[in-house]
Amino acid sequence: MRVSRRNFRNNCAADAVGPNMTTIGIIGAGHIGSQVARKAVQLGYDVVISNSRGPETLAELVAELGPSTRAATPAEAAAAGDFAVVTVPLKALEDVPVQPLEGKIVIDTNNYYWERDGHFPALDKGEETTSGLLQKHLSTSKVAKGFNHIMAKHITTDGTPAGTPNRRALATASDYPEAAELVTKLYDEFGFDTVNIGPLSESWRVERDRPAYVARQNAAELEENLAKAPRTI
Protein backbone atom coordinates (compact mmCIF):
# COMPACT_ATOMS: atom_id res chain seq x y z
CA MET A 1 0.00 0.00 0.00
CA ARG A 2 1.30 3.42 -0.91
CA VAL A 3 0.35 6.36 1.26
CA SER A 4 1.47 9.97 1.19
CA ARG A 5 2.63 11.92 4.22
CA ARG A 6 2.25 15.68 4.20
CA ASN A 7 2.77 18.51 6.62
CA PHE A 8 0.22 20.91 5.12
CA ARG A 9 1.65 24.41 4.67
CA ASN A 10 1.67 25.28 0.98
CA ASN A 11 -0.25 27.95 -0.84
CA CYS A 12 -1.27 25.76 -3.76
CA ALA A 13 -3.16 23.32 -1.57
CA ALA A 14 -4.62 26.16 0.48
CA ASP A 15 -6.03 27.69 -2.70
CA ALA A 16 -7.52 24.33 -3.65
CA VAL A 17 -9.67 24.17 -0.53
CA GLY A 18 -10.57 27.83 -0.54
CA PRO A 19 -9.30 30.56 1.80
CA ASN A 20 -12.81 31.66 2.75
CA MET A 21 -14.02 28.36 4.21
CA THR A 22 -14.48 29.74 7.70
CA THR A 23 -17.80 28.28 8.87
CA ILE A 24 -18.09 24.63 9.89
CA GLY A 25 -21.45 22.92 10.00
CA ILE A 26 -21.34 20.09 12.52
CA ILE A 27 -23.98 17.38 12.36
CA GLY A 28 -23.79 15.48 15.62
CA ALA A 29 -22.87 17.08 18.94
CA GLY A 30 -21.56 14.06 20.81
CA HIS A 31 -18.02 13.61 22.08
CA ILE A 32 -16.26 14.07 18.74
CA GLY A 33 -18.53 16.81 17.41
CA SER A 34 -18.24 18.83 20.60
CA GLN A 35 -14.45 18.51 20.69
CA VAL A 36 -14.05 19.47 17.05
CA ALA A 37 -16.24 22.49 17.77
CA ARG A 38 -14.13 23.50 20.77
CA LYS A 39 -10.87 23.38 18.84
CA ALA A 40 -12.35 25.03 15.75
CA VAL A 41 -13.62 27.96 17.81
CA GLN A 42 -10.17 28.36 19.38
CA LEU A 43 -8.75 28.59 15.87
CA GLY A 44 -11.18 31.30 14.81
CA TYR A 45 -13.79 29.30 12.91
CA ASP A 46 -17.50 29.99 13.16
CA VAL A 47 -19.42 26.87 14.12
CA VAL A 48 -23.03 25.89 13.55
CA ILE A 49 -23.69 22.72 15.52
CA SER A 50 -26.67 20.39 15.57
CA ASN A 51 -27.97 17.15 17.00
CA SER A 52 -31.02 14.95 16.63
CA ARG A 53 -32.74 16.31 19.75
CA GLY A 54 -33.10 19.96 18.78
CA PRO A 55 -31.12 23.21 19.09
CA GLU A 56 -32.49 23.99 22.54
CA THR A 57 -30.65 20.96 23.96
CA LEU A 58 -27.32 22.51 22.96
CA ALA A 59 -27.72 25.73 24.95
CA GLU A 60 -25.08 24.81 27.52
CA LEU A 61 -22.49 23.88 24.89
CA VAL A 62 -23.16 27.04 22.87
CA ALA A 63 -22.82 29.17 26.01
CA GLU A 64 -19.46 27.52 26.69
CA LEU A 65 -18.17 28.06 23.16
CA GLY A 66 -19.25 31.67 22.87
CA PRO A 67 -20.60 34.01 20.20
CA SER A 68 -18.93 32.33 17.23
CA THR A 69 -21.11 29.26 17.79
CA ARG A 70 -24.83 28.75 17.35
CA ALA A 71 -27.12 25.75 17.56
CA ALA A 72 -29.33 24.69 14.67
CA THR A 73 -31.10 21.76 13.11
CA PRO A 74 -29.00 19.32 11.05
CA ALA A 75 -30.36 20.78 7.81
CA GLU A 76 -29.57 24.32 8.98
CA ALA A 77 -26.06 23.37 10.06
CA ALA A 78 -25.47 21.65 6.73
CA ALA A 79 -26.67 24.71 4.83
CA ALA A 80 -24.68 27.19 6.93
CA GLY A 81 -21.32 25.44 6.76
CA ASP A 82 -18.74 26.13 4.09
CA PHE A 83 -17.94 22.50 4.80
CA ALA A 84 -19.38 20.01 7.24
CA VAL A 85 -18.39 17.43 9.82
CA VAL A 86 -20.78 14.49 10.10
CA THR A 87 -20.37 12.67 13.37
CA VAL A 88 -23.50 10.60 13.93
CA PRO A 89 -23.92 6.88 14.63
CA LEU A 90 -23.82 4.75 11.51
CA LYS A 91 -27.41 3.67 12.10
CA ALA A 92 -28.45 7.34 11.66
CA LEU A 93 -26.65 7.75 8.32
CA GLU A 94 -29.88 8.01 6.33
CA ASP A 95 -30.96 10.97 8.48
CA VAL A 96 -28.04 13.13 7.30
CA PRO A 97 -29.54 15.87 5.09
CA VAL A 98 -28.58 15.53 1.45
CA GLN A 99 -29.62 18.68 -0.42
CA PRO A 100 -27.99 21.26 1.91
CA LEU A 101 -24.65 19.44 1.55
CA GLU A 102 -24.73 19.34 -2.23
CA GLY A 103 -21.32 20.22 -3.68
CA LYS A 104 -19.73 20.57 -0.24
CA ILE A 105 -16.87 18.73 1.41
CA VAL A 106 -18.08 16.52 4.24
CA ILE A 107 -15.71 15.10 6.85
CA ASP A 108 -16.94 11.76 8.15
CA THR A 109 -15.79 10.67 11.62
CA ASN A 110 -17.79 7.47 11.79
CA ASN A 111 -16.80 4.01 12.94
CA TYR A 112 -18.81 0.80 12.73
CA TYR A 113 -19.98 -0.42 16.12
CA TRP A 114 -22.30 -3.31 15.35
CA GLU A 115 -23.24 -3.47 19.03
CA ARG A 116 -24.76 0.02 18.67
CA ASP A 117 -25.67 0.19 14.99
CA GLY A 118 -26.77 -3.36 14.26
CA HIS A 119 -25.03 -5.49 11.66
CA PHE A 120 -24.32 -4.19 8.16
CA PRO A 121 -23.51 -7.32 6.11
CA ALA A 122 -21.52 -5.36 3.51
CA LEU A 123 -19.25 -4.05 6.26
CA ASP A 124 -18.96 -7.43 7.95
CA LYS A 125 -17.88 -8.97 4.64
CA GLY A 126 -15.40 -6.21 3.82
CA GLU A 127 -17.36 -5.07 0.78
CA GLU A 128 -17.94 -1.49 1.93
CA THR A 129 -16.47 1.13 4.24
CA THR A 130 -18.35 3.40 6.63
CA SER A 131 -17.30 6.52 4.74
CA GLY A 132 -18.14 4.84 1.46
CA LEU A 133 -21.68 4.32 2.69
CA LEU A 134 -21.94 8.00 3.59
CA GLN A 135 -20.58 8.95 0.16
CA LYS A 136 -23.31 6.86 -1.48
CA HIS A 137 -25.93 8.60 0.66
CA LEU A 138 -24.41 12.02 -0.08
CA SER A 139 -23.83 11.35 -3.76
CA THR A 140 -23.53 15.04 -4.63
CA SER A 141 -21.06 15.81 -1.81
CA LYS A 142 -17.34 15.13 -1.44
CA VAL A 143 -16.77 12.89 1.56
CA ALA A 144 -13.44 12.50 3.34
CA LYS A 145 -12.54 10.38 6.34
CA GLY A 146 -11.36 12.32 9.37
CA PHE A 147 -11.01 12.28 13.17
CA ASN A 148 -12.27 8.70 13.45
CA HIS A 149 -9.20 7.06 15.03
CA ILE A 150 -8.43 9.44 17.86
CA MET A 151 -10.12 9.55 21.24
CA ALA A 152 -12.36 12.59 21.40
CA LYS A 153 -10.60 14.10 24.41
CA HIS A 154 -7.28 14.06 22.55
CA ILE A 155 -8.57 16.24 19.71
CA THR A 156 -8.04 19.30 21.88
CA THR A 157 -4.99 18.13 23.85
CA ASP A 158 -2.63 16.17 21.57
CA GLY A 159 -1.98 18.72 18.85
CA THR A 160 1.48 20.29 18.53
CA PRO A 161 3.02 22.87 16.17
CA ALA A 162 4.17 21.84 12.70
CA GLY A 163 7.68 20.43 12.76
CA THR A 164 7.46 19.13 16.33
CA PRO A 165 9.47 15.89 16.56
CA ASN A 166 7.26 12.81 16.80
CA ARG A 167 4.17 14.88 16.04
CA ARG A 168 1.01 12.82 16.18
CA ALA A 169 -0.46 11.91 12.79
CA LEU A 170 -4.01 11.19 11.68
CA ALA A 171 -5.26 9.58 8.49
CA THR A 172 -7.67 10.70 5.84
CA ALA A 173 -9.10 9.18 2.67
CA SER A 174 -11.31 10.53 -0.08
CA ASP A 175 -12.24 10.06 -3.71
CA TYR A 176 -11.77 13.83 -4.11
CA PRO A 177 -8.28 15.35 -3.74
CA GLU A 178 -9.70 18.69 -2.62
CA ALA A 179 -11.57 16.98 0.22
CA ALA A 180 -8.43 15.21 1.44
CA GLU A 181 -6.57 18.52 1.21
CA LEU A 182 -9.15 20.24 3.38
CA VAL A 183 -8.82 17.56 6.04
CA THR A 184 -5.03 17.89 5.81
CA LYS A 185 -5.30 21.65 6.33
CA LEU A 186 -7.64 21.20 9.29
CA TYR A 187 -5.45 18.51 10.85
CA ASP A 188 -2.43 20.79 10.64
CA GLU A 189 -4.34 23.65 12.24
CA PHE A 190 -5.47 21.29 15.00
CA GLY A 191 -1.84 20.21 15.48
CA PHE A 192 -1.52 16.91 13.61
CA ASP A 193 0.38 15.56 10.62
CA THR A 194 -1.55 13.73 7.92
CA VAL A 195 -1.26 10.40 6.18
CA ASN A 196 -3.45 10.22 3.08
CA ILE A 197 -4.57 6.63 2.58
CA GLY A 198 -6.03 7.26 -0.86
CA PRO A 199 -9.63 6.61 -1.97
CA LEU A 200 -12.52 5.85 0.38
CA SER A 201 -12.29 2.20 -0.63
CA GLU A 202 -9.07 2.06 1.42
CA SER A 203 -10.45 3.86 4.47
CA TRP A 204 -11.14 0.57 6.25
CA ARG A 205 -7.44 0.54 7.12
CA VAL A 206 -8.05 3.11 9.86
CA GLU A 207 -11.36 1.82 11.14
CA ARG A 208 -12.17 0.20 14.45
CA ASP A 209 -9.95 -2.56 15.85
CA ARG A 210 -7.20 -2.12 13.24
CA PRO A 211 -3.62 -1.38 14.35
CA ALA A 212 -3.97 2.37 13.69
CA TYR A 213 -7.19 2.76 15.65
CA VAL A 214 -6.86 5.24 18.58
CA ALA A 215 -3.10 4.58 18.80
CA ARG A 216 -0.85 7.55 19.48
CA GLN A 217 1.49 7.40 16.45
CA ASN A 218 3.63 9.64 14.30
CA ALA A 219 3.31 9.63 10.51
CA ALA A 220 5.83 6.83 9.90
CA GLU A 221 4.22 4.64 12.55
CA LEU A 222 0.76 5.35 11.15
CA GLU A 223 1.89 4.33 7.67
CA GLU A 224 3.21 1.05 9.09
CA ASN A 225 -0.01 0.36 10.96
CA LEU A 226 -2.14 1.13 7.91
CA ALA A 227 -0.10 -1.25 5.79
CA LYS A 228 -0.57 -4.21 8.14
CA ALA A 229 -4.30 -3.71 8.78
CA PRO A 230 -6.52 -6.76 8.06
CA ARG A 231 -9.50 -6.20 5.76
CA THR A 232 -12.01 -7.85 8.06
CA ILE A 233 -12.03 -8.28 11.82
Side-chain angles (χ1 to χ4, degrees), residues 10-217:
N10 65 80
N11 292 331
C12 179
D15 290 343
V17 300
N20 298 317
M21 299 177 75
T22 59
T23 300
I24 307 177
I26 299 180
I27 301 171
H31 295 303
I32 294 177
S34 297
Q35 286 293 85
V36 169
R38 288 185 177 97
K39 188 64 178 180
V41 166
Q42 291 175 13
L43 292 167
Y45 285 94
D46 293 323
V47 170
V48 182
I49 192 165
S50 65
N51 65 11
S52 61
R53 296 179 294 129
E56 66 280 359
T57 66
L58 295 171
E60 184 175 344
L61 177 63
V62 169
E64 173 199 335
L65 295 177
S68 59
T69 304
R70 66 179 176 92
T73 67
E76 290 167 342
D82 298 312
F83 63 97
V85 176
V86 170
T87 177
V88 301
L90 187 63
K91 63 183 178 182
L93 180 149
E94 295 295 327
D95 297 329
V96 176
V98 175
Q99 191 279 327
L101 293 171
E102 183 176 355
K104 295 183 180 181
I105 293 172
V106 176
I107 302 172
D108 173 46
T109 77
N110 213 340
N111 287 295
Y112 174 39
Y113 297 101
W114 59 264
E115 304 93 333
R116 175 196 66 188
D117 302 316
H119 278 284
F120 284 62
L123 295 177
D124 293 334
K125 296 176 184 177
E127 297 170 350
E128 295 280 4
T129 66
T130 56
S131 293
L133 292 176
L134 182 63
Q135 181 66 81
K136 287 184 176 180
H137 175 65
L138 299 176
S139 60
T140 57
S141 302
K142 301 172 183 180
V143 173
K145 198 74 174 176
F147 294 107
N148 78 298
H149 67 111
I150 180 173
M151 293 182 67
K153 63 182 180 181
H154 293 155
I155 291 172
T156 56
T157 62
D158 274 20
T160 55
T164 300
N166 206 38
R167 193 188 198 203
R168 185 167 184 172
L170 299 176
T172 190
S174 181
D175 297 338
Y176 298 91
E178 62 270 36
E181 288 180 352
L182 176 61
V183 176
T184 302
K185 173 182 180 290
L186 199 63
Y187 278 171
D188 189 53
E189 292 173 346
F190 275 46
F192 305 100
D193 283 345
T194 299
V195 173
N196 188 334
I197 307 173
L200 289 180
S201 60
E202 292 292 307
S203 62
W204 56 268
R205 294 181 180 276
V206 76
E207 291 181 352
R208 176 193 178 187
D209 294 335
R210 272 78 175 185
Y213 186 67
V214 301
R216 201 277 178 216
Q217 55 213 311

